[in-house]
Amino acid sequence: MQNIFVKLGDITKLDCDCIVNAANKSLLGGGGVDGAIHRAAGPDLLKECRTLHGCETGEAKITKGYRLKSRYVIHTVGPVYSGRDRDRQDLANCYWNSLELARKYDLHSIAFSAISTGVYGYPPEEAVPIAADTVKKWLKEHTDYEIKIIMCCFNQRIFDLYQRYLSK
């Protein structure tokens, strides 16, 4: 799709309206992409996150980007993979709710990390189709809203999975 782009690299370096953080429920930083975003944004991100009082799985909350090139960070909590049907819906909700929040704030470029595919253990072969299908469905339902969506991949394996899946 013309509005969806796949990029291999560091999400904290992207110049777009917002990046999506694969956060934990506390929103107070952690490992992986969450820790990288907090380090790159600086201590003011943590201060603002403390005012949000956490986030539930599948939900999304927004903060300023501080020292990042992106103006905003949307924080979403992906599911810890268990193999149950609920995981699929929770993961889809992360993408959908993040896009809804971007639209609410009139943001027109958004970059997603591969939510839940790191320490939360979601197999990328299952997560990529859920993410891509959810984003495509959202775009179909919001044809009046122009937005550039970047799937930012931290490794070649996930990049290749997105490239193959989105080229179908």
mmCIF file of all heavy atoms in Angstrom, residues 111-138:
data_model
loop_
_atom_site.group_PDB
_atom_site.id
_atom_site.type_symbol
_atom_site.label_atom_id
_atom_site.label_comp_id
_atom_site.label_asym_id
_atom_site.label_seq_id
_atom_site.Cartn_x
_atom_site.Cartn_y
_atom_site.Cartn_z
ATOM 1 N N ALA A 111 5.453 6.158 13.059
ATOM 2 C CA ALA A 111 6.356 5.014 12.915
ATOM 3 C C ALA A 111 6.091 4.023 14.050
ATOM 4 O O ALA A 111 6.067 4.407 15.220
ATOM 5 C CB ALA A 111 7.809 5.460 12.943
ATOM 6 N N PHE A 112 5.862 2.785 13.667
ATOM 7 C CA PHE A 112 5.631 1.711 14.629
ATOM 8 C C PHE A 112 6.872 0.858 14.783
ATOM 9 O O PHE A 112 7.524 0.513 13.791
ATOM 10 C CB PHE A 112 4.516 0.780 14.146
ATOM 11 C CG PHE A 112 3.136 1.348 14.265
ATOM 12 C CD1 PHE A 112 2.528 1.953 13.185
ATOM 13 C CD2 PHE A 112 2.436 1.237 15.455
ATOM 14 C CE1 PHE A 112 1.240 2.473 13.279
ATOM 15 C CE2 PHE A 112 1.146 1.749 15.570
ATOM 16 C CZ PHE A 112 0.551 2.369 14.481
ATOM 17 N N SER A 113 7.170 0.486 16.006
ATOM 18 C CA SER A 113 8.146 -0.579 16.237
ATOM 19 C C SER A 113 7.375 -1.899 16.093
ATOM 20 O O SER A 113 6.153 -1.898 15.969
ATOM 21 C CB SER A 113 8.743 -0.438 17.639
ATOM 22 O OG SER A 113 7.721 -0.454 18.616
ATOM 23 N N ALA A 114 8.080 -3.010 16.108
ATOM 24 C CA ALA A 114 7.438 -4.322 16.002
ATOM 25 C C ALA A 114 6.947 -4.726 17.399
ATOM 26 O O ALA A 114 7.619 -5.453 18.138
ATOM 27 C CB ALA A 114 8.399 -5.342 15.419
ATOM 28 N N ILE A 115 5.784 -4.256 17.754
ATOM 29 C CA ILE A 115 5.232 -4.392 19.100
ATOM 30 C C ILE A 115 5.139 -5.855 19.533
ATOM 31 O O ILE A 115 4.666 -6.703 18.781
ATOM 32 C CB ILE A 115 3.851 -3.703 19.175
ATOM 33 C CG1 ILE A 115 3.993 -2.209 18.852
ATOM 34 C CG2 ILE A 115 3.187 -3.915 20.535
ATOM 35 C CD1 ILE A 115 2.693 -1.518 18.524
ATOM 36 N N SER A 116 5.607 -6.109 20.736
ATOM 37 C CA SER A 116 5.556 -7.416 21.420
ATOM 38 C C SER A 116 6.496 -8.485 20.867
ATOM 39 O O SER A 116 6.521 -9.597 21.383
ATOM 40 C CB SER A 116 4.129 -7.977 21.468
ATOM 41 O OG SER A 116 3.347 -7.297 22.414
ATOM 42 N N THR A 117 7.291 -8.172 19.828
ATOM 43 C CA THR A 117 8.144 -9.207 19.233
ATOM 44 C C THR A 117 9.498 -9.367 19.919
ATOM 45 O O THR A 117 10.259 -10.257 19.573
ATOM 46 C CB THR A 117 8.377 -8.945 17.730
ATOM 47 O OG1 THR A 117 9.041 -7.690 17.585
ATOM 48 C CG2 THR A 117 7.077 -8.962 16.960
ATOM 49 N N GLY A 118 9.778 -8.519 20.899
ATOM 50 C CA GLY A 118 11.040 -8.629 21.637
ATOM 51 C C GLY A 118 10.850 -9.497 22.871
ATOM 52 O O GLY A 118 10.452 -10.658 22.780
ATOM 53 N N VAL A 119 11.087 -8.907 24.035
ATOM 54 C CA VAL A 119 11.018 -9.664 25.285
ATOM 55 C C VAL A 119 9.612 -10.198 25.582
ATOM 56 O O VAL A 119 9.468 -11.127 26.375
ATOM 57 C CB VAL A 119 11.543 -8.855 26.499
ATOM 58 C CG1 VAL A 119 13.019 -8.541 26.336
ATOM 59 C CG2 VAL A 119 10.734 -7.606 26.728
ATOM 60 N N TYR A 120 8.578 -9.645 24.955
ATOM 61 C CA TYR A 120 7.215 -10.143 25.181
ATOM 62 C C TYR A 120 6.933 -11.416 24.389
ATOM 63 O O TYR A 120 5.883 -12.024 24.550
ATOM 64 C CB TYR A 120 6.180 -9.071 24.867
ATOM 65 C CG TYR A 120 6.026 -8.033 25.976
ATOM 66 C CD1 TYR A 120 6.956 -7.894 27.004
ATOM 67 C CD2 TYR A 120 4.936 -7.191 25.981
ATOM 68 C CE1 TYR A 120 6.806 -6.947 28.004
ATOM 69 C CE2 TYR A 120 4.765 -6.231 26.985
ATOM 70 C CZ TYR A 120 5.706 -6.125 27.990
ATOM 71 O OH TYR A 120 5.538 -5.189 28.979
ATOM 72 N N GLY A 121 7.872 -11.823 23.523
ATOM 73 C CA GLY A 121 7.857 -13.154 22.933
ATOM 74 C C GLY A 121 6.873 -13.435 21.811
ATOM 75 O O GLY A 121 6.667 -14.600 21.453
ATOM 76 N N TYR A 122 6.247 -12.416 21.247
ATOM 77 C CA TYR A 122 5.299 -12.668 20.159
ATOM 78 C C TYR A 122 6.091 -13.090 18.927
ATOM 79 O O TYR A 122 6.971 -12.361 18.480
ATOM 80 C CB TYR A 122 4.479 -11.409 19.841
ATOM 81 C CG TYR A 122 3.054 -11.706 19.483
ATOM 82 C CD1 TYR A 122 2.008 -11.320 20.299
ATOM 83 C CD2 TYR A 122 2.736 -12.396 18.314
ATOM 84 C CE1 TYR A 122 0.688 -11.598 19.988
ATOM 85 C CE2 TYR A 122 1.418 -12.683 17.985
ATOM 86 C CZ TYR A 122 0.403 -12.284 18.822
ATOM 87 O OH TYR A 122 -0.894 -12.569 18.497
ATOM 88 N N PRO A 123 5.805 -14.272 18.354
ATOM 89 C CA PRO A 123 6.551 -14.694 17.159
ATOM 90 C C PRO A 123 6.337 -13.707 16.004
ATOM 91 O O PRO A 123 5.188 -13.426 15.646
ATOM 92 C CB PRO A 123 5.948 -16.063 16.827
ATOM 93 C CG PRO A 123 5.300 -16.525 18.094
ATOM 94 C CD PRO A 123 4.835 -15.278 18.789
ATOM 95 N N PRO A 124 7.408 -13.166 15.439
ATOM 96 C CA PRO A 124 7.257 -12.205 14.355
ATOM 97 C C PRO A 124 6.416 -12.720 13.186
ATOM 98 O O PRO A 124 5.682 -11.959 12.564
ATOM 99 C CB PRO A 124 8.701 -11.920 13.916
ATOM 100 C CG PRO A 124 9.504 -12.173 15.149
ATOM 101 C CD PRO A 124 8.820 -13.324 15.830
ATOM 102 N N GLU A 125 6.488 -14.013 12.902
ATOM 103 C CA GLU A 125 5.706 -14.590 11.796
ATOM 104 C C GLU A 125 4.204 -14.473 12.048
ATOM 105 O O GLU A 125 3.423 -14.470 11.106
ATOM 106 C CB GLU A 125 6.067 -16.070 11.590
ATOM 107 C CG GLU A 125 7.499 -16.316 11.157
ATOM 108 C CD GLU A 125 8.523 -16.203 12.295
ATOM 109 O OE1 GLU A 125 8.140 -16.187 13.481
ATOM 110 O OE2 GLU A 125 9.716 -16.127 11.979
ATOM 111 N N GLU A 126 3.805 -14.370 13.308
ATOM 112 C CA GLU A 126 2.397 -14.164 13.652
ATOM 113 C C GLU A 126 2.083 -12.678 13.845
ATOM 114 O O GLU A 126 0.998 -12.220 13.494
ATOM 115 C CB GLU A 126 2.048 -14.917 14.942
ATOM 116 C CG GLU A 126 2.078 -16.423 14.809
ATOM 117 C CD GLU A 126 1.743 -17.120 16.119
ATOM 118 O OE1 GLU A 126 0.850 -16.641 16.853
ATOM 119 O OE2 GLU A 126 2.395 -18.138 16.418
ATOM 120 N N ALA A 127 3.023 -11.939 14.403
ATOM 121 C CA ALA A 127 2.787 -10.526 14.728
ATOM 122 C C ALA A 127 2.725 -9.633 13.481
ATOM 123 O O ALA A 127 1.894 -8.727 13.409
ATOM 124 C CB ALA A 127 3.877 -10.014 15.674
ATOM 125 N N VAL A 128 3.580 -9.888 12.501
ATOM 126 C CA VAL A 128 3.633 -9.037 11.305
ATOM 127 C C VAL A 128 2.300 -9.035 10.548
ATOM 128 O O VAL A 128 1.780 -7.968 10.226
ATOM 129 C CB VAL A 128 4.835 -9.417 10.406
ATOM 130 C CG1 VAL A 128 4.698 -8.823 9.013
ATOM 131 C CG2 VAL A 128 6.138 -8.958 11.064
ATOM 132 N N PRO A 129 1.692 -10.202 10.276
ATOM 133 C CA PRO A 129 0.391 -10.159 9.588
ATOM 134 C C PRO A 129 -0.697 -9.438 10.385
ATOM 135 O O PRO A 129 -1.519 -8.720 9.805
ATOM 136 C CB PRO A 129 0.033 -11.638 9.396
ATOM 137 C CG PRO A 129 1.337 -12.351 9.424
ATOM 138 C CD PRO A 129 2.199 -11.574 10.378
ATOM 139 N N ILE A 130 -0.691 -9.582 11.694
ATOM 140 C CA ILE A 130 -1.686 -8.886 12.530
ATOM 141 C C ILE A 130 -1.487 -7.378 12.408
ATOM 142 O O ILE A 130 -2.440 -6.626 12.191
ATOM 143 C CB ILE A 130 -1.574 -9.343 14.003
ATOM 144 C CG1 ILE A 130 -1.976 -10.811 14.144
ATOM 145 C CG2 ILE A 130 -2.436 -8.448 14.913
ATOM 146 C CD1 ILE A 130 -1.576 -11.441 15.475
ATOM 147 N N ALA A 131 -0.248 -6.946 12.531
ATOM 148 C CA ALA A 131 0.059 -5.512 12.438
ATOM 149 C C ALA A 131 -0.310 -4.969 11.057
ATOM 150 O O ALA A 131 -1.008 -3.956 10.939
ATOM 151 C CB ALA A 131 1.544 -5.278 12.716
ATOM 152 N N ALA A 132 0.132 -5.632 10.017
ATOM 153 C CA ALA A 132 -0.107 -5.156 8.653
ATOM 154 C C ALA A 132 -1.600 -5.149 8.321
ATOM 155 O O ALA A 132 -2.111 -4.174 7.759
ATOM 156 C CB ALA A 132 0.659 -6.024 7.655
ATOM 157 N N ASP A 133 -2.303 -6.205 8.675
ATOM 158 C CA ASP A 133 -3.741 -6.268 8.387
ATOM 159 C C ASP A 133 -4.519 -5.205 9.146
ATOM 160 O O ASP A 133 -5.443 -4.596 8.613
ATOM 161 C CB ASP A 133 -4.304 -7.657 8.716
ATOM 162 C CG ASP A 133 -3.822 -8.734 7.755
ATOM 163 O OD1 ASP A 133 -3.274 -8.393 6.678
ATOM 164 O OD2 ASP A 133 -3.983 -9.926 8.090
ATOM 165 N N THR A 134 -4.131 -4.961 10.379
ATOM 166 C CA THR A 134 -4.807 -3.945 11.191
ATOM 167 C C THR A 134 -4.598 -2.554 10.598
ATOM 168 O O THR A 134 -5.545 -1.769 10.486
ATOM 169 C CB THR A 134 -4.306 -3.990 12.650
ATOM 170 O OG1 THR A 134 -4.539 -5.291 13.180
ATOM 171 C CG2 THR A 134 -5.014 -2.954 13.515
ATOM 172 N N VAL A 135 -3.378 -2.259 10.215
ATOM 173 C CA VAL A 135 -3.062 -0.962 9.631
ATOM 174 C C VAL A 135 -3.808 -0.779 8.304
ATOM 175 O O VAL A 135 -4.389 0.276 8.034
ATOM 176 C CB VAL A 135 -1.534 -0.809 9.468
ATOM 177 C CG1 VAL A 135 -1.177 0.358 8.574
ATOM 178 C CG2 VAL A 135 -0.881 -0.659 10.840
ATOM 179 N N LYS A 136 -3.827 -1.819 7.465
ATOM 180 C CA LYS A 136 -4.548 -1.743 6.188
ATOM 181 C C LYS A 136 -6.041 -1.517 6.417
ATOM 182 O O LYS A 136 -6.663 -0.705 5.732
ATOM 183 C CB LYS A 136 -4.348 -3.028 5.388
ATOM 184 C CG LYS A 136 -2.993 -3.173 4.762
ATOM 185 C CD LYS A 136 -3.025 -4.397 3.852
ATOM 186 C CE LYS A 136 -1.729 -5.114 3.806
ATOM 187 N NZ LYS A 136 -1.796 -6.336 3.013
ATOM 188 N N LYS A 137 -6.599 -2.227 7.382
ATOM 189 C CA LYS A 137 -8.028 -2.076 7.686
ATOM 190 C C LYS A 137 -8.314 -0.648 8.168
ATOM 191 O O LYS A 137 -9.300 -0.033 7.766
ATOM 192 C CB LYS A 137 -8.454 -3.099 8.744
ATOM 193 C CG LYS A 137 -9.921 -3.041 9.087
ATOM 194 C CD LYS A 137 -10.293 -4.085 10.131
ATOM 195 C CE LYS A 137 -11.755 -3.938 10.502
ATOM 196 N NZ LYS A 137 -12.129 -4.753 11.647
ATOM 197 N N TRP A 138 -7.448 -0.130 9.032
ATOM 198 C CA TRP A 138 -7.634 1.229 9.539
ATOM 199 C C TRP A 138 -7.609 2.234 8.376
ATOM 200 O O TRP A 138 -8.439 3.127 8.302
ATOM 201 C CB TRP A 138 -6.563 1.572 10.576
ATOM 202 C CG TRP A 138 -6.851 2.843 11.308
ATOM 203 C CD1 TRP A 138 -7.532 2.983 12.475
ATOM 204 C CD2 TRP A 138 -6.479 4.175 10.904
ATOM 205 N NE1 TRP A 138 -7.616 4.315 12.822
ATOM 206 C CE2 TRP A 138 -6.981 5.069 11.879
ATOM 207 C CE3 TRP A 138 -5.786 4.692 9.827
ATOM 208 C CZ2 TRP A 138 -6.794 6.437 11.803
ATOM 209 C CZ3 TRP A 138 -5.599 6.070 9.738
ATOM 210 C CH2 TRP A 138 -6.100 6.926 10.724
#
